[in-house]
Amino acid sequence: MDPDRYCVDLAAPPGSSLHYATLWAGARERSAIIAVHALRHSLVAIIETIADSHVRAMKLNWWSGEILNARDGHPHHPVSVAMARHCTERIWHRAEVLAMFAAVAHASTEDGFASETARDEFCGHVGGGTARLCMAAAGNDAPEEVGEVGEIDTLGAALERALLAGTPNARSGMQRIPTSTSESPLGLEHGDPDVGPDPIIEERTRAHRALAEAVRDMPRRTEPAVLVYRALARLRLAALAAALRKPAGGGASTASISPVRKLWIAWRASRETEHDEPVNPASRERRDGRIGPG
């Protein structure tokens, strides 16, 4: 299969949030950003879809070798080939690649997260690292953009946290959902009478708040990666709000939004510029009827 088609099928198939978020990016930037997200997807899938720790270790070992091959200019995996095709050779030498791999390997070894701090570190290395790699892949990694890169890193981490909150039941048994106590162990079962408030709903609410704050603080610029991440954030906010509107007792389920609405949200995000008046994402959600009052 063509490497570009492989990456699209893996990370941005028709109907997905990344598909809509990248519609208004240039062809090269779109392909580069999708390839970077395909790398993230390939690594995270090791802990999300492989239950056996020995098989996970073998898969991680293979990817460790593939990263070294790609750094030497000899990629083999379709994702690696696509990244080599659309990104500069320096992409494989960036610290974010190894940090992302190390975060996934650590989560695999630990079978999840022991605390919210561990969860946040994972989100920073995986989600924030993916965002920084996308900035570099799209050609927006100049020194004058350092401040912007820092803010898109925060947005990427918040997006990763939102993804974890939206998919609490990974087949690997990865523990994702924290209690309300910041350093308590994660992974309480849904519906545990000793927990109090539904921990899944609680975590989705907190993830929604964190993502809304990251969107609010993101510079309103028009670089491709910034536009893509702004659209991704708007789409994830809408999905989380839809999940939070579900009746009590349905917290473990996920909620989706229609393709037409995804297209509208992504188009509107692509039209936001630094000259627009800033909008509080949470207020916009309530205004559009996406999240209940209070």
Side-chain angles (χ1 to χ4, degrees):
M1 178 182 288
D2 176 71
D4 289 341
R5 173 50 55 189
Y6 182 93
C7 290
V8 168
D9 291 345
L10 186 66
S16 67
S17 293
L18 188 60
H19 166 79
Y20 289 106
T22 56
L23 283 178
W24 287 275
R28 190 202 69 79
E29 291 85 358
R30 182 174 192 268
S31 296
I33 290 171
I34 290 175
V36 170
H37 275 263
L39 174 65
R40 175 215 164 270
H41 186 98
S42 297
L43 294 177
V44 173
I46 296 172
I47 47 179
E48 287 193 332
T49 64
I50 301 176
D52 187 281
S53 60
H54 296 292
V55 177
R56 289 202 302 261
M58 292 175 59
K59 192 74 171 179
L60 286 165
N61 185 62
W62 186 92
W63 267 106
S64 176
E66 176 64 5
I67 290 172
L68 293 177
N69 288 333
R71 286 166 68 98
D72 291 338
H74 304 291
H76 300 296
H77 193 278
V79 170
S80 308
V81 173
M83 286 183 64
R85 177 183 294 176
H86 300 293
C87 309
T88 65
E89 292 182 1
R90 290 180 55 250
I91 197 77
W92 288 104
H93 293 270
R94 293 184 62 94
E96 291 88 349
V97 174
L98 294 181
M100 185 189 307
F101 176 83
V104 170
H106 182 73
S108 174
T109 302
E110 296 296 321
D111 283 327
F113 310 124
S115 66
E116 287 193 12
T117 298
R119 186 273 318 277
D120 291 344
E121 288 177 352
F122 176 90
C123 291
H125 288 308
V126 175
T130 299
R132 290 193 301 272
L133 287 172
C134 284
M135 288 289 289
N140 298 123
D141 200 33
E144 61 268 19
E145 302 295 345
V146 168
E148 182 176 326
V149 171
E151 284 151 337
I152 203 170
D153 173 78
T154 300
L155 183 58
L159 273 166
E160 192 70 31
R161 178 177 177 179
L163 285 170
L164 292 177
T167 55
N169 296 323
R171 280 183 287 162
S172 66
M174 188 175 182
Q175 298 173 352
R176 294 174 178 274
I177 306 302
T179 66
S180 58
T181 304
S182 61
E183 288 303 320
S184 295
L186 307 191
L188 291 174
E189 292 296 330
H190 172 64
D192 187 331
D194 296 328
V195 172
D198 187 324
I200 294 176
I201 294 176
E202 180 182 344
E203 176 60 9
R204 285 178 176 171
T205 300
R206 294 161 70 187
H208 186 283
R209 185 182 305 117
L211 184 54
E213 291 173 356
V215 173
R216 180 194 62 203
D217 295 338
M218 187 68 202
R220 305 170 73 79
R221 300 169 67 96
T222 56
E223 286 80 1
V226 177
L227 292 177
V228 167
Y229 267 79
R230 186 180 298 136
L232 276 175
R234 298 292 190 199
L235 289 163
R236 180 52 50 183
L237 283 170
L240 279 174
L244 288 168
R245 287 202 311 273
K246 294 177 73 65
S253 303
T254 57
S256 60
I257 52 180
S258 70
V260 171
R261 187 167 162 205
K262 283 185 177 182
L263 182 63
W264 165 247
I265 292 171
W267 176 83
R268 186 169 60 185
S270 74
R271 294 300 186 268
E272 294 178 5
T273 71
E274 58 187 325
H275 303 295
D276 295 333
E277 289 294 325
V279 178
N280 184 302
S283 298
R284 170 177 279 177
E285 295 288 330
R286 283 191 288 269
R287 185 196 69 192
D288 291 347
R290 296 177 194 157
I291 192 167

